């Protein structure tokens, strides 16, 4: 085993700089989701991680951060696309919450329904809306484990004022999942057979 460490790197692959247009307007939900799915697709095609992408926007349409699944690339089980997007957004705005006074409202768009960990982080992230494309069942079909996500989990977030909406551009996101399966990409933290 190597020496103890006291820091850890969280970043996006360098190609993100080539495929993300930071300056454009993302007022439309479809454009926001298309970006999250495009990130997922590039992550598969470029071999940098699992088939998941996410992005955080201000309600006004400004892109704040993006994330791609980086679990295997950075040897870190917490680096789901949504977690990377949360970390980079909060670093950018300089706050542990995206709901700090004076901020525009923030929304998370993700290519697949958030797992248990990402739902937990969503609660504390400060976003007020989550939109996902593929469903948890689509990810489980591939063998990925979504963890303890229940109807009550979504209800809990809704009671805290966070809107959750699924199915936007689902078929596009499912195509990326299928491509990953066809390439036989690694399924980390695989769902136990039940
Ligand atoms: Zn997750």
């Amino acid at each position: 085993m190597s020496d103890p460490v006291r820091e850890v790197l969280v970043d996006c692959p360098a190609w993100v700089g080539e495929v993300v247009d930071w300056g454009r307007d993302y007022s439309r939900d479809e454009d926001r989701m298309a970006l999250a799915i495009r990130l997922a697709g590039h992550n598969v095609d470029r071999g940098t991680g699992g088939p998941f992408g996410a992005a955080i926007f201000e309600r006004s349409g400004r892109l704040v951060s993006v994330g791609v699944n980086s679990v295997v690339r950075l040897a870190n089980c917490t680096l789901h696309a949504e977690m990377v997007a949360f970390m980079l957004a909060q670093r950018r705005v300089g706050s542990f919450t995206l709901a700090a006074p004076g901020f525009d409202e923030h929304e998370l768009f993700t290519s697949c329904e958030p797992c248990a960990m990402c739902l937990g982080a969503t609660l504390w992230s400060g976003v007020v809306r989550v939109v996902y494309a593929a469903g948890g069942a689509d990810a489980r079909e591939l063998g990925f484990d979504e963890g303890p996500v229940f109807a009550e989990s979504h209800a809990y977030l809704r009671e805290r004022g966070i809107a959750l909406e699924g199915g936007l551009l689902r078929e596009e996101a499912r195509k990326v999942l299928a491509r990953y399966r066809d390439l036989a990409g690694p399924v980390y933290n695989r769902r136990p057979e039940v």
Side-chain angles (χ1 to χ4, degrees):
M1 191 164 60
S2 57
D3 292 338
V5 296
R6 60 177 190 86
E7 63 178 12
V8 64
L9 172 76
V10 177
D11 69 359
C12 279
W15 57 256
V16 162
E18 300 162 24
V19 305
V20 176
D21 182 353
W22 291 92
R24 69 164 284 186
D25 173 71
Y26 289 95
S27 295
R28 296 175 63 243
D29 279 358
E30 289 77 9
D31 292 337
R32 298 178 183 194
M33 188 59 83
L35 174 61
I37 295 171
R38 192 158 71 244
L39 288 163
H42 277 280
N43 211 30
V44 172
D45 295 340
R46 295 168 187 254
T48 46
F52 307 105
I56 293 174
F57 303 87
E58 290 183 341
R59 183 177 289 263
S60 64
R62 189 171 77 108
L63 173 62
V64 179
S65 73
V66 301
V68 294
N69 179 282
S70 301
V71 168
V72 174
R73 180 173 61 89
L74 296 177
N76 185 327
C77 71
T78 69
L79 297 184
H80 291 186
E82 301 96 319
M83 300 295 286
V84 173
F86 286 143
M87 291 184 212
L88 296 180
Q90 292 177 341
R91 168 84 190 276
R92 183 172 182 189
V93 304
S95 170
F96 60 88
T97 173
L98 299 171
F103 287 2
D104 192 0
E105 290 185 327
H106 287 78
E107 304 182 353
L108 169 71
F109 281 66
T110 175
S111 66
C112 190
E113 182 177 343
C115 72
M117 170 180 68
C118 293
L119 268 188
T122 295
L123 178 60
W124 295 297
S125 68
V127 299
V128 297
R129 182 173 177 238
V130 177
V131 185
Y132 54 90
D138 297 323
R140 284 192 293 274
E141 259 179 42
L142 249 67
F144 284 106
D145 189 2
E146 291 273 288
V149 175
F150 310 109
E152 292 86 347
S153 316
H154 283 209
Y156 190 95
L157 266 65
R158 289 196 172 100
E159 285 166 15
R160 299 293 191 92
I162 300 169
L164 289 149
E165 303 158 31
L168 178 65
L169 302 184
R170 177 183 174 210
E171 285 311 311
E172 295 304 310
R174 279 176 54 86
K175 283 179 199 162
V176 176
L177 296 176
R179 203 151 79 234
Y180 190 76
R181 182 195 59 220
D182 294 345
L183 291 170
V187 176
Y188 48 82
N189 299 146
R190 181 176 280 278
R191 183 168 187 248
E193 298 299 330
V194 288

